[in-house]
Amino acid sequence: IRMLADIASKGGNLLLNIGPTAEGLFPPASIERLHEIGAWMRVNSEAIYGTHASPFKQLAWGRCTQKSIAGGTRLYLHVFDWPTSGSLRVPGIFNQTQKAFLLGDKETAALAVKREADALLISVPQQAPDAHNSIVVLDIIGKPDISNPPVIVSEFAIFIDALHVAVKSERDTVELRYTRDGSEPTNASPLVQGLITLKETATIAARCFRAGKPVSETARATFTKVAARTAMKAEVKSGIRYSYFEGEWNSLPDFKTLTPVMSGVLANFEFSPRKEVERFGFEYTGYLRVPETGVYAFFTESDDGSRLYIGDDLIVDNDGLHGMVEKRGVLALAAGLHPMRVTFFEKTGGDGLKVYYKTEKGAKQLVPAGWLFH
């Protein structure tokens, strides 16, 4: 039900596939879920069918869908986390309201609404009407006039010497003000004028202002100064060692406890030594030589599961049964050699493994064979 609301709030459609058993029957669990979704839709389908994507970038308590009505817009507030305070806060909205009520209330009794700075506060019952997704209807005058929080942009959240951070807003008629210690920005806080340069750990808090008053929620992001991981010295040769295994797993096994079918050296993360097209695994071990000191993002894209370690630290965890899925991890490395280990397993179906890197200066690309040693 929450997945349905999430997808509708982004302007999408949910295709729910129910697969029959070998006997042509629907599994009991699938039937149970369909009954539950049907029961929810009998009360709340208006908040899904014929609606458009949310005007809000993010809502801490749930999602929103909308549709046009006479004289304005109807906002369907999908509340996943029901407020125990009895007050639902709708941030960054400047429209006047017509009415608010619970969609499940046959009497459509009006809920009290009041303004607090950039937000509307809707009085709601203490108990959530629905355990999974309760709908509060908010009718507003005109099209939604929403001021979303600023966006704090940086390639990485860690840095070694200095970091340049951008603060942006989709609104043209606002001032952006910020603090470096995470405190709430005020009209006296510094204006955002170009990039913010950080040389020490900081929490940037940014907010939109108009005519000296706050007109959005506050966005926050923490950026941490770190030391680069020290490189190692070793006598090395080109290529990375591999161990090839056969077996059936639903997640990555501890390869150290298994006996490999074969092992050797490869130029890169290849499957070429494998004997089977399914139910196999690889462990690649060796050294990664990075050309310069900096912050690096590493990615594994794999079908099925994979993990990437630098030294003993797990940097990218992409384990489990899945199609080609990409996961990312970030760390700071000194120029030189660093112990590296990549593990992979394939159960059935398609397979694949790609290992990428990215720096702040360049685009994402495959880890080149010239960086791999043993």
Side-chain angles (χ1 to χ4, degrees), residues 2-277:
R2 292 185 178 184
M3 181 188 294
L4 172 62
D6 176 63
I7 291 171
S9 76
K10 297 171 182 174
N13 293 303
L14 173 61
L15 176 61
L16 184 61
N17 178 47
I18 302 299
T21 66
E23 291 77 24
L25 302 174
F26 290 122
S30 298
I31 295 173
E32 181 182 351
R33 295 296 176 272
L34 289 173
H35 279 307
E36 291 172 341
I37 296 170
W40 185 87
M41 288 291 284
R42 278 191 289 275
V43 176
N44 301 291
S45 60
E46 179 187 332
I48 300 294
Y49 292 135
T51 61
H52 300 284
S54 173
F56 300 94
K57 294 291 185 185
Q58 185 175 355
L59 292 168
W61 37 257
R63 303 291 186 269
C64 175
T65 53
Q66 62 172 320
K67 64 174 60 170
S68 297
I69 58 173
T73 306
R74 173 162 289 184
L75 301 177
Y76 299 96
L77 308 177
H78 299 250
V79 186
F80 300 166
D81 299 316
W82 193 255
T84 56
S85 64
S87 179
L88 180 68
R89 179 182 176 87
V90 186
I93 182 168
F94 295 93
N95 300 80
Q96 292 183 335
T97 62
Q98 299 184 47
K99 184 180 181 180
F101 59 94
L102 296 172
L103 187 57
D105 180 8
K106 295 181 180 179
E107 305 298 325
T108 65
L111 301 173
V113 182
K114 67 178 181 179
R115 176 163 294 282
E116 183 182 89
D118 67 295
L120 292 176
L121 303 182
I122 304 174
S123 295
V124 295
Q126 293 287 336
Q127 186 69 31
D130 186 273
H132 307 297
N133 179 9
S134 301
I135 307 296
V136 177
V137 177
L138 177 63
D139 290 343
I140 58 175
I141 298 173
K143 294 181 179 180
D145 181 13
I146 308 296
S147 181
N148 288 300
V151 179
I152 302 172
V153 182
S154 178
E155 181 67 40
F156 303 125
I158 62 173
F159 62 97
I160 298 172
D161 297 315
L163 183 69
H164 302 296
V165 178
V167 178
K168 302 178 181 180
S169 173
E170 60 190 12
R171 307 286 291 222
D172 296 327
T173 58
V174 296
E175 294 179 338
L176 301 178
R177 295 186 179 273
Y178 74 98
T179 62
R180 293 170 178 258
D181 60 1
S183 60
E184 196 72 24
T186 68
N187 195 43
S189 300
L191 274 170
V192 175
Q193 295 176 320
L195 297 175
I196 301 170
T197 300
L198 303 179
K199 294 187 176 180
E200 300 295 337
T201 296
T203 297
I204 299 295
R207 197 174 191 184
C208 299
F209 286 78
R210 183 187 292 163
K213 295 182 180 180
V215 291
S216 79
E217 295 285 274
T218 299
R220 287 181 174 83
T222 298
F223 303 95
T224 306
K225 185 174 183 178
V226 300
R229 185 186 293 255
T230 304
M232 297 184 64
K233 293 183 178 180
E235 295 293 328
V236 294
K237 297 178 181 180
S238 296
I240 193 162
R241 292 190 181 278
Y242 78 89
S243 295
Y244 166 74
F245 302 84
E246 292 176 357
E248 183 166 351
W249 312 285
N250 292 325
S251 60
L252 282 162
D254 183 359
F255 287 120
K256 295 178 182 178
T257 65
L258 303 178
T259 301
V261 176
M262 67 176 78
S263 59
V265 176
L266 291 167
N268 213 314
F269 305 100
E270 307 169 23
F271 294 165
S272 56
R274 71 181 181 183
K275 295 182 177 181
E276 301 292 336
V277 297

